[in-house]
Amino acid sequence: KVIWTLLITILGYSSSLPVGDDSICAAEELAKYSIIFTGKWSQTAFPKQYPLYRPPAQWSSMLGVTHSSDYSMWKKNEYASNGVRDFAEKGEAWVLMKEIEEAGEKIQSVHGIFSAPAISSGTGQTSTELEVHSRHPLVSFVVRIVPSPDWFVGIDSLNLCGGDHWMEEVSVDLFPYDAGTDSGFTFSSPNFATIPQDTVTEITCSSPSHPANSFYYPKLKILPPIAQVTMVKLKKNQLGLPVSHLNLPAKSNEIIESMSETPLDCEVSQWSSWGLCRGPCGKTGTKIRTRFVLLQPANDGTPCPDLDEETGCEPDNCI
């Protein structure tokens, strides 16, 4: 009877532990990190269909979580949750936040949620801080690619615990993913739901294998990283409190700003056909043709030319 009671006690304790490699983290209980997200989505690196307007290339806010292996925000080759779908398609975080909260309440698998501000251009940086726990050493996050049908970048369950210590610094190159919920090929594709829903897949230079794909570069072996994330462990002061610092040199920020200043010349359509000749009979009349702006100029690019042109003509149907 004593042995049976002891066995039940051991099983009950072990069932409350997170499942997976994170259960053997022997580092100190808590650690804080700064997380720096760097967008590398430039027109130089990704010239095909690069979004310059309506809206220009940019990044949504970052939404992330520290957790145990009992929880998964998203996984490659698995179906995206409703929350990930809403975030990847529209940048709406409410459903995903609810899913995270429910997972934390139900199976005690979530330690904390973190977020970082959006980036208003394809290149730039945003940052925040996160806290991991020895029983919740995994980090996951998503950042939406804007504009896009349902494309995002992120990390799935990165373990910051190195057995008996926390990693001092981790840097990861990021590549685009398709959430599998929208069938658009290009950045500006209209909403066209994928029915039935597909799994989350990595977008590469050859997949989807379609010339219309905005990331289709058949001459490349691999896409350049579209973003990068760096996590740096924060040191503690004498009181044991984390010291908040990011160590971001000004030179790095200057390079990012200069990369986003790409001159963009105005583009206009072909001329329309000439309109009707108008004027009194026996005198020279006028007719007009027009064109419209396809692409507004930006960053000191060539301004738009005249959009109307007038010429003389002989009025029609005169008696």
Side-chain angles (χ1 to χ4, degrees):
K1 184 176 180 181
V2 172
I3 294 175
W4 179 252
T5 303
L6 181 60
L7 180 61
I8 292 296
T9 303
I10 293 172
L11 289 175
Y13 173 73
S14 62
S15 66
S16 68
L17 291 174
V19 178
D21 292 341
D22 50 299
S23 63
I24 61 173
C25 178
E28 59 181 328
E29 188 175 54
L30 295 174
K32 277 200 171 184
Y33 285 81
S34 64
I35 178 169
I36 306 114
F37 177 90
T38 304
K40 296 187 174 183
W41 186 17
S42 67
Q43 190 177 15
T44 302
F46 300 91
K48 185 176 181 183
Q49 301 168 2
Y50 188 79
L52 292 163
Y53 70 114
R54 300 179 186 176
Q58 56 192 276
W59 300 96
S60 77
S61 58
M62 172 193 291
L63 180 61
V65 60
T66 57
H67 59 96
S68 69
S69 57
D70 292 326
Y71 172 78
S72 174
M73 176 180 274
W74 66 275
K75 281 191 178 298
K76 183 180 178 180
N77 298 326
E78 294 187 7
Y79 293 106
S81 67
N82 290 336
V84 172
R85 177 200 64 201
D86 286 357
F87 193 88
E89 289 188 12
K90 298 173 285 187
E92 297 176 358
W94 302 113
V95 177
L96 183 53
M97 288 282 289
K98 187 66 175 176
E99 292 173 351
I100 295 171
E101 291 171 1
E102 289 176 352
E105 294 170 359
K106 184 178 180 181
I107 55 179
Q108 302 293 302
S109 60
V110 174
H111 177 70
I113 300 174
F114 59 90
S115 63
I119 303 174
S120 60
S121 62
T123 58
Q125 286 184 327
T126 187
S127 63
T128 187
E129 294 180 4
L130 60 88
E131 183 179 78
V132 284
H133 187 278
S134 57
R135 289 178 59 185
H136 303 85
L138 307 181
V139 176
S140 296
F141 72 81
V142 287
V143 179
R144 180 176 181 248
I145 298 173
V146 184
S148 74
D150 60 342
W151 302 342
F152 68 95
V153 297
I155 277 181
D156 166 36
S157 303
L158 176 66
N159 195 343
L160 292 179
C161 182
D164 61 350
H165 66 281
W166 293 106
M167 303 291 189
E168 289 297 323
E169 182 171 340
V170 179
S171 189
V172 180
D173 287 334
L174 303 177
F175 299 89
Y177 280 89
D178 186 322
T181 61
D182 193 291
S183 297
F185 271 123
T186 66
F187 297 119
S188 57
S189 292
N191 185 31
F192 185 63
T194 301
I195 302 176
Q197 181 176 333
D198 203 350
T199 57
V200 175
T201 56
E202 184 176 352
I203 301 173
T204 70
C205 55
S206 58
S207 178
S209 183
H210 194 291
N213 175 19
S214 291
F215 287 110
Y216 185 68
Y217 296 94
K219 293 183 179 180
L220 295 181
K221 291 183 178 180
I222 186 173
L223 285 175
I226 196 170
Q228 184 182 63
V229 66
T230 301
M231 281 164 274
V232 181
K233 186 174 180 291
L234 298 178
K235 297 180 180 179
K236 294 181 178 180
N237 59 22
Q238 292 180 349
L239 298 176
L241 300 174
V243 178
S244 179
H245 64 282
L246 293 180
N247 293 329
L248 295 179
K251 184 178 179 181
S252 173
N253 292 332
E254 290 170 3
I255 293 172
I256 290 170
E257 290 172 4
S258 64
M259 285 175 60
S260 64
E261 292 294 319
T262 304
L264 182 62
D265 296 336
C266 178
E267 292 184 13
V268 295
S269 68
Q270 297 292 322
W271 286 110
S272 69
S273 57
W274 289 103
L276 294 175
C277 184
R278 300 188 179 279
C281 291
K283 295 184 179 180
T284 300
T286 58
K287 58 182 179 180
I288 297 174
R289 63 178 183 177
T290 61
R291 54 187 174 185
F292 57 90
V293 176
L294 294 173
L295 192 60
Q296 292 285 357
N299 303 327
D300 298 322
T302 304
C304 294
D306 292 336
L307 302 179
D308 299 314
E309 188 174 68
E310 183 178 297
T311 188
C313 62
E314 293 294 330
D316 298 327
N317 301 321
C318 281
I319 301 176

